[in-house]
Amino acid sequence: MELINTRIDHRLLSTLCERVGIAFEVGLDPYRVFERESESRRFHYSKRMRSVAKHVRGGESLSEAIRAQGNYFPDHFADMIEGGEATGRLDRVLDRSADYYAQSAEYRAAFKSSILWPLLQLVLAVVVIGGLIYLPEAIVAGEENDASRDLLGLGLVGWAGLKTYMIYVAVTSAIVFAFVWLVRNGYLGFLADIAARIPVVGGMVRVFPEARFVQTFSLGVDAGLNATSAATLAFQSAGTPMYERQALPVNKRLLAGGE
């Protein structure tokens, strides 16, 4: 699982933000905080926490230590930490981030629950199709020709047909798995930009970057960032080129005195 889940789970990140925020409020040393987190039994999590502690002990800021973990943390998480460090309200940012990631984890859990039954139906359909390919030849072997045994009209019959079918299923599953992995780890952000322009579908796709934009902007303002800094972080956190292109013109207008 460690090879698959290269990003921290949102529920785990929420708990981390809560614990670290409380530790900072009472004045604990950041190095000791993350060194304690590294004692977790989760191998990948423990490794990353130990790395954060090492970077902090070496004199780097917490935001720099988080960025050093590559793709393990969400992209805009380090930006929010940097904003909290710049304004001296890091504990407040961590507190708000804990609520945000807890809510995000709940939404993801609800989504997974909603697709569990359709996925089960899909698996059953794959098994049934495999049975319709293999069983006719196994049951009536030697009595009828191959054409009469091809119940699905796919040209796949018996054990040979089942092996071909299994290869198709395996290749398709690998492609879907790779796509989900790339999306989960933030490598296909440009696809959201393309999908957002498609009628009907675009409205649903835009909900996610809009939510990230609003949440990050709110956190930035609450942390004491000025309007331009908060807007820059918000546009970056949206994670799509559509939003990132708006950062420069919006900041120019803000600096010119616009609302």
Side-chain angles (χ1 to χ4, degrees):
M1 289 297 293
E2 299 297 346
L3 294 176
I4 298 174
N5 297 324
T6 58
R7 271 198 172 182
I8 186 172
D9 177 76
H10 279 200
R11 192 174 299 281
L12 182 57
L13 180 55
S14 172
T15 304
L16 173 65
C17 289
E18 185 176 358
R19 286 201 296 261
V20 174
I22 293 174
F24 282 176
E25 284 181 8
V26 299
L28 294 182
D29 177 29
Y31 166 74
R32 294 188 180 278
V33 172
F34 284 95
E35 185 65 24
R36 183 181 302 168
E37 289 294 325
S38 70
E39 297 174 1
S40 169
R41 294 183 179 180
R42 298 180 178 88
F43 173 76
H44 201 54
Y45 176 81
S46 176
K47 178 182 176 182
R48 293 297 182 179
M49 294 304 103
R50 190 174 297 109
S51 177
V52 170
K54 180 180 178 181
H55 282 83
V56 170
R57 191 175 190 180
E60 296 183 18
S61 66
L62 180 57
S63 58
E64 291 173 332
I66 288 174
R67 287 194 177 95
Q69 306 315 307
N71 205 41
Y72 185 66
F73 291 99
D75 296 332
H76 71 296
F77 182 62
D79 295 330
M80 291 310 308
I81 295 299
E82 183 178 5
E85 290 174 327
T87 59
R89 303 188 65 182
L90 182 56
D91 56 340
R92 177 60 176 165
V93 170
L94 287 167
D95 183 57
R96 289 288 303 275
S97 296
D99 293 338
Y100 169 71
Y101 288 115
Q103 188 178 58
S104 176
E106 291 178 2
Y107 289 154
R108 291 187 176 203
F111 173 74
K112 290 178 181 179
S113 297
S114 67
I115 65 171
L116 182 60
W117 175 241
L119 284 177
L120 180 58
Q121 289 179 311
L122 176 61
V123 171
L124 290 175
V126 169
V127 173
V128 169
I129 292 173
L132 291 175
I133 291 173
Y134 174 73
L135 291 177
E137 183 180 67
I139 295 174
V140 296
E143 297 182 9
E144 299 184 35
N145 55 43
D146 285 349
S148 64
R149 298 172 189 160
D150 186 7
L151 301 180
L152 301 176
L154 300 176
L156 302 176
V157 179
W159 175 241
L162 181 60
K163 287 192 292 184
T164 301
Y165 172 69
M166 291 172 63
I167 291 174
Y168 287 147
V169 171
V171 171
T172 302
S173 300
I175 293 173
V176 171
F177 176 83
F179 179 79
V180 171
W181 186 89
L182 290 170
V183 170
R184 174 180 170 81
N185 290 280
Y187 294 113
L188 298 178
F190 67 93
L191 291 180
D193 192 14
I194 297 174
R197 302 176 187 276
I198 301 176
V200 182
V201 176
M204 294 183 287
V205 172
R206 286 194 295 270
V207 168
F208 299 103
E210 285 173 2
R212 289 194 296 268
F213 174 86
V214 172
Q215 178 66 25
T216 305
F217 188 76
S218 174
L219 284 171
V221 172
D222 190 56
L225 296 181
N226 58 44
T228 54
S229 298
T232 299
L233 285 177
F235 280 119
Q236 291 175 349
S237 72
T240 67
M242 180 185 295
Y243 273 81
E244 292 171 359
R245 286 194 297 267
Q246 304 305 318
L248 184 59
V250 167
N251 282 339
K252 284 183 176 180
R253 185 163 186 174
L254 289 172
L255 292 172
E259 295 184 355

